[in-house]
C-alpha cells in the first residue's frame, strides 16, 4: 500500500535520513522506534510532504513517485487519502472540537457544512467525545485534545494515518485514553504508521516494528519477534535500556 525506498534528507550539512526503506501493507500497524535524533519524525514528515526529501521514492496505491520531482498536484492527491496526527494536537484554539474536525472538510474539500458536521459528529463519537463537541481546546484535557485530532484524521476517511509520537505531550494518566482509541482503530483494520516511545503499544498493538538509529533502519521485524528475538546487538541494547528505565 505504502512503500518508502531510499529516502534521504539533510538539514544544512547534517544528514538526518541516510536511505530509509519501509513497507506498510494495508491493515498494518507499523511502530517506528528509536532513540531521540534517529530521524523517526523527519521520516514521517517527508512521507507526508511536510519536509522535502532530497532523494527517494514513494510507492502509494500502485503508483511510484520520485520525492525530488513530485508535483504539488500529486502531493495534494496523496494527501486526500492520508491523515497526520501531530504530537501537540495542532487544533485551532478559537474553534470547538466539532469545528476543528470539520474545518478541513468544509474549507479544503468544499463539503457542505451539514454533511461535514454529520461526519464530524460520528468521528467524535468514535473517539468517545460526543459530549465534548461544543467545547474549545482550552476546556479539554490534553488527552481529549489528542482524541479530537484523531477524530479530525478519521473524518477524511484516510487509507493510512501517520502518528508522530501522539502521546509524548501527555501526562501518563492521559496516555491510556489515546492508546485505547488507537488500539480500537488497529482492531478495525486501520492502516497506521506510528512513531512512538510507547513500548506496550509497539509490542501488543502493532503488527511490525521498525527500529531506527542515526538515520538508518537497524532492524525490522514482526512485533513479537522484535521484542522476543531481536537480531541486532544494537536492538538488544536498546531493549535492555528500555526495560531497565
Amino acid at each position: 500500500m505504502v512503500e518508502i525506498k531510499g529516502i534521504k534528507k539533510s538539514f544544512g550539512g547534517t544528514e538526518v535520513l541516510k536511505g530509509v526503506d519501509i513497507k506498510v501493507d494495508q491493515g498494518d500497524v507499523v511502530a517506528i522506534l528509536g532513540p531521540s535524533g534517529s530521524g523517526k519524525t523527519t521520516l514521517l514528515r517527508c512521507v507526508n510532504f511536510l519536509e522535502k526529501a532530497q532523494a527517494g521514492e514513494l510507492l502509494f496505491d500502485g503508483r511510484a513517485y520520485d520525492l525530488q520531482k513530485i508535483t504539488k498536484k500529486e502531493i495534494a492527491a496523496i494527501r486526500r487519502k492520508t491523515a497526520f496526527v501531530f504530537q501537540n494536537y495542532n487544533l485551532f484554539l478559537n474553534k470547538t472540537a466539532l469545528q476543528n474536525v470539520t474545518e478541513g472538510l468544509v474549507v479544503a474539500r468544499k463539503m457542505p457544512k451539514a454533511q461535514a458536521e454529520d461526519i464530524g459528529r460520528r468521528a467524535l463519537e468514535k473517539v468517545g467525545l460526543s459530549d465534548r463537541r461544543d467545547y474549545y481546546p482550552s476546556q479539554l484535557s490534553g488527552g481529549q485534545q489528542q482524541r479530537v485530532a484523531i477524530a479530525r484524521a478519521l473524518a477524511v476517511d484516510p487509507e493510512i494515518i501517520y502518528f508522530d509520537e501522539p502521546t509524548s505531550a501527555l501526562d501518563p494518566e492521559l496516555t491510556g485514553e489515546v492508546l485505547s482509541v488507537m488500539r480500537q482503530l488497529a482492531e478495525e483494520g486501520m492502516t497506521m504508521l506510528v512513531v512512538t516511545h510507547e513500548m506496550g503499544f509497539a509490542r501488543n498493538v502493532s503488527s511490525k516494528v521498525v527500529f531506527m538509529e542515526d538515520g538508518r533502519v537497524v532492524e525490522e521485524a514482526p512485533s513479537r519477534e522484535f521484542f522476543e528475538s531481536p537480531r541486532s546487538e544494537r536492538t538488544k541494547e536498546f531493549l535492555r535500556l528500555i526495560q531497565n528505565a
Side-chain angles (χ1 to χ4, degrees):
M1 180 187 170
V2 175
E3 189 169 357
I4 303 157
K5 291 185 173 182
I7 284 194
K8 294 184 179 181
K9 173 67 179 176
S10 297
F11 294 101
T14 304
E15 196 176 15
V16 178
L17 298 176
K18 303 175 181 179
V20 174
D21 302 333
I22 294 177
K23 186 177 182 182
V24 184
D25 292 320
Q26 187 169 358
D28 272 355
V29 179
V30 178
I32 304 178
L33 306 180
S36 296
S38 56
K40 308 183 298 295
T41 289
T42 300
L43 173 67
L44 217 57
R45 291 177 66 85
C46 285
V47 174
N48 200 44
F49 312 106
L50 297 169
E51 298 284 355
K52 183 174 175 62
Q54 272 99 26
E57 187 177 48
L58 176 69
L59 279 68
F60 186 85
D61 270 358
R63 284 194 60 187
Y65 301 89
D66 183 329
L67 292 176
Q68 261 193 313
K69 301 175 181 177
I70 193 165
T71 66
K72 289 182 179 179
K73 185 176 179 180
E74 288 171 332
I75 289 172
I78 293 171
R79 278 183 168 168
R80 287 182 70 86
K81 299 179 180 181
T82 67
F84 197 102
V85 176
F86 296 85
Q87 291 182 40
N88 295 311
Y89 331 132
N90 276 32
L91 300 179
F92 294 107
L93 300 181
N94 63 336
K95 295 185 183 296
T96 65
L98 181 59
Q99 289 169 337
N100 267 284
V101 174
T102 61
E103 180 78 4
L105 300 176
V106 174
V107 175
R109 304 202 176 192
K110 311 301 182 187
M111 187 179 289
K113 185 178 178 182
Q115 182 185 355
E117 288 185 346
D118 181 54
I119 291 170
R121 281 191 288 268
R122 282 187 272 121
L124 286 169
E125 182 180 5
K126 194 172 188 67
V127 300
L129 289 174
S130 290
D131 60 340
R132 294 291 188 272
R133 63 177 178 238
D134 295 324
Y135 284 50
Y136 290 89
S138 62
Q139 298 171 303
L140 300 172
S141 70
Q144 289 170 334
Q145 290 184 63
Q146 191 61 292
R147 283 190 283 154
V148 171
I150 294 173
R152 177 177 58 192
L154 292 172
V156 301
D157 193 23
E159 293 182 15
I160 183 170
I161 303 179
Y162 303 115
F163 290 85
D164 182 18
E165 299 191 16
T167 60
S168 67
L170 300 178
D171 294 333
E173 64 266 26
L174 300 176
T175 295
E177 64 190 58
V178 173
L179 293 179
S180 177
V181 169
M182 293 174 67
R183 179 190 291 271
Q184 176 190 337
L185 295 178
E187 290 171 352
E188 293 172 358
M190 174 61 71
T191 307
M192 298 187 275
L193 184 59
V194 186
V195 170
T196 185
H197 287 112
E198 295 293 336
M199 294 301 115
F201 176 86
R203 182 171 196 144
N204 301 317
V205 180
S206 72
S207 50
K208 183 167 70 175
V209 173
V210 174
F211 175 60
M212 288 182 63
E213 184 174 57
D214 193 30
R216 295 186 174 91
V217 173
V218 175
E219 186 162 343
E220 179 178 342
S223 302
R224 183 173 178 180
E225 181 183 323
F226 178 87
F227 283 98
E228 294 182 3
S229 306
R231 299 185 301 274
S232 158
E233 284 303 318
R234 179 63 186 98
T235 305
K236 293 175 185 176
E237 179 189 8
F238 175 78
L239 292 175
R240 278 196 301 270
L241 289 170
I242 292 294
Q243 288 161 3
N244 294 329

